[in-house]
Amino acid sequence: MKKLLLSVLFSGLLLTLTAQEVSYEEYDLDNGLHVILHQDNSAPVVITSIMYHVGGKDRTEGRTGFAHLFEHLLFDGSKNIPTGGWDEIISTRGGQNNANTSQDRTYYYELFPSNNLELGLWLESERLLHPTISQEALDREIEVVKEERRLRYDNSPYGQLLPVLGETLFEKHPYKDPNIGYMEDLEQATLDDVRAYNKKYYVPNNAVLVVAGDIDMPETKKMVSDYFGPIPRGEEIVRNYPEETPITQQITKKTYDPNIQIPASLVAYRTPGFTERDYRVLDMISTYLSDGRSSKLYKKLVDEQKQALQISAFNIGQEDYGMYVIFGIPVGETPLQTLVTEIEEEIASLRIELISEKDYQKLLNKFENNFVNSNATVAGIAGSLATNYMLYGDTSLINKEIEIYRSITPEEIRDVAIKYLKPNQRAIIEYLPGEKMEN
């Protein structure tokens, strides 16, 4: 009966919404915490979430990976929650929780039956107000993160793709280093280091709290004030990351992965951050090139010419700079250079010709469908509200972002391809099996 009840409760998270406007209310507490509330009483479910404006790029040299380390540390416990008690409290109340860290932000959330709203707010206020950051906790979580790095990066097939892209496309900006950090930096992290990091970044004025679902607005506002209002404001955070010199000559690189047997080719470009309009145009280009079996690169290289096992274009969005990447795995003895040549042929076509009206309409249909799906659950809405406020600086994008995509023209697609996707602005990376040969 309990499992059935939970299934009914959380099925509300899967209810598809129409493309109607998402209503919300936002305001600031005196300590700088931004609060966004979304009321949806269609199912007895609530999400409490906090996004902190801190990610992998927020570090000093020799201290990489701290934001991801904190994602783990802040689940360890608090003054009022014993070690290991976080998950136990949530699961015994029928809830779910998780967190994730990017180069730009960290996001924590809890999903509960709505009668546990106050519990969710208390848990997040505990995380913010007085987490357990002891030497014992630090030592334990460093080992957990090191094992995660071994599993997901060092010993996983093609696990070094993102780190290699970062170190190839960036020389000065912190995006050159992996979000998870380097082993030696994790091992050298001290208790003073992490406590100073917590004091600097995990403060109300560097966060947005989103509460969404089956809530009563006045009651929720009072609980938010009670649990988060007394938390002291932190010092203002100043970011001044170095700018990268434009890439004007092709970068060629070979890298080796002992965990693979089939090589891969990467064609990569440094692109603008995701607040720029051109980022969204590049989104459309990547969808046009490789989203689905009828896309240009897939149809050509996989279906027709049988030259690739896999071909994918990714528009990797980040706050300061993006990465536009085309990844291909060849069939049999097909040379990697053949994939590069065929990829460039399709991109050159984008730089010269306008896409057809049929392809353009298909693109718009896909983006409209993605837009509706992104707001199809309470959890999706909460994540969108937090991201739009924190990283894009415009909460209202939850309702109007699709209008930006609809306004992008075939001519603009051509112009953006000309601006960013030229051979002299790219990196060609041969991702090869085996160990790197030492001289």
Side-chain angles (χ1 to χ4, degrees), residues 11-278:
S11 67
L13 297 171
L14 304 176
L15 293 177
T16 301
L17 302 178
T18 63
Q20 65 186 18
E21 184 170 296
V22 175
S23 62
Y24 60 90
E25 184 175 343
E26 58 184 332
Y27 58 96
D28 289 321
L29 298 184
D30 290 342
N31 58 15
L33 179 68
H34 193 73
V35 181
I36 306 176
L37 305 180
H38 165 68
Q39 186 174 10
D40 177 1
N41 303 117
S42 62
V45 178
V46 68
I47 180 170
T48 54
S49 64
I50 287 191
M51 182 175 287
Y52 294 93
H53 199 178
V54 57
K57 73 179 181 187
D58 296 297
R59 87 292 184 280
T60 56
E61 292 295 330
R63 291 295 183 267
T64 59
F66 270 33
H68 179 258
L69 176 61
F70 262 83
E71 179 193 319
H72 289 258
L73 269 175
L74 296 187
F75 276 104
D76 199 76
S78 75
K79 180 179 178 181
N80 297 304
I81 302 172
T83 299
W86 207 282
D87 288 339
E88 182 179 355
I89 291 172
I90 292 172
S91 62
T92 56
R93 297 294 187 94
Q96 304 171 7
N97 73 110
N98 213 331
N100 52 74
T101 304
S102 75
Q103 288 278 25
D104 301 303
R105 93 295 178 272
T106 306
Y107 186 56
Y108 299 87
Y109 66 88
E110 296 85 25
L111 294 168
F112 277 116
S114 53
N115 60 353
N116 285 290
L117 168 61
E118 187 170 7
L119 174 61
L121 292 172
W122 175 72
L123 287 168
E124 287 302 336
S125 68
E126 280 289 296
R127 199 195 309 270
L128 183 55
L129 187 56
H130 35 55
T132 300
I133 305 178
S134 64
Q135 188 65 55
E136 180 183 5
L138 177 60
D139 291 343
R140 179 171 53 251
E141 297 308 326
I142 285 176
E143 290 305 313
V144 170
V145 173
K146 286 167 62 178
E147 184 57 29
E148 181 181 345
R149 182 188 164 96
R150 294 185 192 101
L151 180 65
R152 295 176 54 191
Y153 295 87
D154 300 337
N155 300 321
S156 176
Y158 306 101
Q160 293 299 317
L161 285 177
L162 280 177
V164 167
L165 285 168
E167 69 184 29
T168 303
L169 293 177
F170 301 100
E171 294 182 353
K172 297 174 284 188
H173 193 282
Y175 289 156
K176 67 186 175 63
D177 299 318
N179 182 32
I180 200 169
Y182 298 111
M183 284 290 197
E184 57 268 29
D185 292 351
L186 294 169
E187 291 168 349
Q188 294 172 13
T190 68
L191 189 59
D192 286 343
D193 288 335
V194 296
R195 284 178 171 170
Y197 195 85
N198 181 72
K199 183 178 180 181
K200 180 176 182 178
Y201 291 108
Y202 295 84
V203 291
N205 45 303
N206 194 44
V208 54
L209 169 70
V210 180
V211 184
D214 184 26
I215 62 174
D216 175 85
M217 296 291 271
E219 181 183 7
T220 302
K221 288 180 181 179
K222 182 180 186 308
M223 285 190 281
V224 168
S225 178
D226 290 344
Y227 284 106
F228 292 91
I231 300 174
R233 185 186 188 96
E235 294 185 11
E236 294 305 311
I237 297 168
V238 178
R239 293 177 171 86
N240 187 26
Y241 299 117
E243 293 186 8
E244 289 286 343
T245 303
I247 297 171
T248 56
Q249 291 186 327
Q250 177 178 298
I251 300 168
T252 303
K253 182 173 184 174
K254 291 184 179 181
T255 191
Y256 297 86
D257 187 340
N259 302 302
I260 65 171
Q261 295 181 335
I262 304 176
S265 177
L266 291 95
V267 181
Y269 309 81
R270 190 196 306 143
T271 51
F274 50 46
T275 60
E276 300 293 326
R277 179 180 174 88
D278 286 350

Side-chain angles (χ1 to χ4, degrees), residues 358-372:
K358 179 181 178 181
D359 286 335
Y360 178 66
Q361 289 301 322
K362 187 167 73 170
L363 273 178
L364 291 182
N365 291 340
K366 285 187 176 182
F367 277 87
E368 288 174 354
N369 184 62
N370 292 341
F371 178 73
V372 172

Side-chain angles (χ1 to χ4, degrees), residues 269 285 288-289 295-301 304-305 311 326 339-353 355 359 417 421:
Y269 309 81
I285 291 175
Y288 172 79
L289 289 176
S295 61
K296 296 301 177 181
L297 286 176
Y298 188 95
K299 186 176 180 181
K300 175 183 180 180
L301 293 177
E304 295 177 355
Q305 298 178 185
I311 192 79
I326 303 175
L339 298 188
V340 173
T341 300
E342 297 293 344
I343 288 167
E344 169 56 24
E345 184 177 285
E346 289 302 318
I347 293 177
S349 178
L350 279 172
R351 296 196 301 264
I352 297 169
E353 303 171 359
I355 67 173
D359 286 335
L421 306 182

